[in-house]
Amino acid sequence: MTVALCALSHSPLFGIANPGAETLAQVNAGLDRLRSFVRAFDPELTIVFGPDHFNGVFYDMMPAFCIGRAATSVGDWGTTAGPLPVDRQAAGCLTEAVLRSGVDVAQSERLHVDHGITQPIEFLFGKSSTQPLVPIFINAVGLPLGPMQRVRLLGDAVGREIARWQRRVLLVASGGLSHDPPVPRMAEAPPEVAARLIDGRNPSSEARAIRQQRVIEASRAHAAGSGNFREVNPVFDQKTLDLLASGDLEQFDAWTNAWIEAEGGHSGHEIRSWVAAFSALRAAGPYRVTDRGYWPVREWMTGFAMASAQLKAHS
């Protein structure tokens, strides 16, 4: 049994908004290191923990967690649309293991995922990858949200299950860190937006283009110092990264949703993917972080981070 982890932020503005030559070079160098780490590990299965941004999962039925036994990429923000190479048997085993642990998790036979899951996979494996995977959706934008302890326990259940397998399993966490992009919120939404948040499946290409252009315009305004979006919070981001590296993941249990939002922005809840993945790794054994990078990128409206980790027994 061997387990390793890659965690990285995603951004729909990657490749669109220019953060400057130096930052872009550093981010790309970090991604190259992650890709080298993955090639050396040579995973037989990849488990991806990631959110959705009202592109695949909606308020008609909003689970806290959902494991896909089959999944399709919606193809937003330049990601490849179409079916993903999901390992159905592994996904089913994980669902049963999480339920046995006492954590409620949904299972989907047609999980629709957006760039929150597909972008990191394309970063690490390239477009149209055939790498077997299991997508695990973690709600980070559809309020109300459950407590952080449940996220940690979900990851712990996944990790204890894969520790039984004789397979090289790569855990991928996608999201965060601090950011406050223009994701609509149900409580503030006008009727037409609320209707889309309840069931916005299969938008026209024109409707998707309009939505994406709004995000691009918001990022430009934010980079220019205007707009009402919160700034990236490096203090929150480094605190998150330090705690993940320490392995003392129970400390996240005390992080309330209100505090995370106040410190990390409305989409700071995406750190849930990182907590779940690191919890899964820790359940497989003591670990150490082998690489870590962080950039507060105003042009992408996010604290962009990445990390790799492996079990100490295999260091």
Side-chain angles (χ1 to χ4, degrees), residues 150-315:
R150 303 301 289 175
V151 179
R152 177 178 60 79
L153 292 175
L154 167 78
D156 184 74
V158 170
R160 282 187 279 112
E161 174 63 16
I162 63 176
R164 302 172 51 248
W165 300 352
Q166 298 300 315
R167 304 180 73 177
R168 292 185 304 279
V169 180
L170 177 68
L171 303 164
V172 174
S174 170
L177 299 179
S178 66
H179 61 311
D180 192 43
V183 175
R185 291 178 284 278
M186 190 69 164
E188 307 164 4
E192 66 276 11
V193 175
R196 181 176 68 79
L197 298 182
I198 294 171
D199 187 359
R201 291 171 178 81
N202 303 315
S204 67
S205 57
E206 294 81 5
R208 188 180 295 282
I210 290 172
R211 287 168 52 191
Q212 294 187 354
Q213 186 59 37
R214 287 174 181 159
V215 175
I216 294 171
E217 291 172 358
S219 73
R220 289 171 178 167
H222 183 70
S226 60
N228 299 318
F229 302 103
R230 300 184 193 180
E231 294 291 339
V232 171
N233 186 350
V235 174
F236 171 83
D237 295 341
Q238 295 292 355
K239 181 180 179 68
T240 301
L241 292 170
D242 288 345
L243 192 50
L244 290 166
S246 76
D248 189 10
L249 304 181
E250 282 78 8
Q251 288 196 41
F252 284 110
D253 294 0
W255 288 25
T256 67
N257 295 331
W259 182 84
I260 292 171
E261 188 168 309
E263 297 295 319
H266 286 94
S267 290
H269 298 294
E270 288 184 4
I271 65 168
R272 291 165 171 259
S273 298
W274 291 58
V275 173
F278 273 90
S279 296
L281 181 63
R282 190 185 67 170
Y287 65 81
R288 69 180 185 93
V289 171
T290 56
D291 196 2
R292 171 170 159 178
Y294 173 74
W295 304 266
V297 185
R298 298 191 81 242
E299 293 81 3
W300 296 343
M301 304 179 74
T302 190
F304 198 91
M306 59 185 72
S308 60
Q310 61 187 22
L311 300 178
K312 289 182 178 180
H314 298 275
S315 299

Side-chain angles (χ1 to χ4, degrees), residues 86-108:
V86 175
D87 185 326
R88 292 176 57 82
Q89 182 177 6
C93 289
L94 289 176
T95 300
E96 292 178 3
V98 172
L99 290 171
R100 284 197 304 270
S101 78
V103 176
D104 292 332
V105 63
Q107 178 176 281
S108 175

Side-chain angles (χ1 to χ4, degrees), residues 1-200:
M1 179 277 301
T2 304
V3 184
L5 176 148
C6 283
L8 64 161
S9 300
H10 56 253
S11 172
L13 298 164
F14 188 96
I16 296 175
N18 185 358
E22 182 177 358
T23 297
L24 188 59
Q26 292 175 0
V27 170
N28 282 327
L31 290 173
D32 284 341
R33 293 195 302 273
L34 286 188
R35 284 188 280 266
S36 295
F37 178 84
V38 171
R39 284 195 298 270
F41 181 66
D42 189 23
E44 297 171 280
L45 176 71
T46 296
I47 299 173
V48 191
F49 299 88
D52 179 78
H53 309 82
F54 298 116
N55 290 301
V57 184
F58 300 91
Y59 274 118
D60 60 341
M61 187 172 291
M62 179 65 71
F65 314 119
C66 184
I67 297 175
R69 287 221 315 160
T72 297
S73 166
V74 303
D76 64 328
W77 293 104
T79 58
T80 302
L84 297 177
V86 175
D87 185 326
R88 292 176 57 82
Q89 182 177 6
C93 289
L94 289 176
T95 300
E96 292 178 3
V98 172
L99 290 171
R100 284 197 304 270
S101 78
V103 176
D104 292 332
V105 63
Q107 178 176 281
S108 175
E109 297 289 349
R110 191 188 299 164
L111 182 64
H112 290 85
V113 302
D114 71 358
H115 68 278
I117 282 179
T118 54
Q119 190 181 67
I121 291 299
E122 293 187 358
F123 277 157
L124 295 175
F125 296 101
K127 289 185 176 291
S128 303
S129 168
T130 59
Q131 168 68 23
L133 59 88
V134 174
I136 302 182
F137 161 77
I138 296 185
N139 179 29
V141 298
L143 303 180
L145 298 173
M148 288 292 290
Q149 182 187 48
R150 303 301 289 175
V151 179
R152 177 178 60 79
L153 292 175
L154 167 78
D156 184 74
V158 170
R160 282 187 279 112
E161 174 63 16
I162 63 176
R164 302 172 51 248
W165 300 352
Q166 298 300 315
R167 304 180 73 177
R168 292 185 304 279
V169 180
L170 177 68
L171 303 164
V172 174
S174 170
L177 299 179
S178 66
H179 61 311
D180 192 43
V183 175
R185 291 178 284 278
M186 190 69 164
E188 307 164 4
E192 66 276 11
V193 175
R196 181 176 68 79
L197 298 182
I198 294 171
D199 187 359

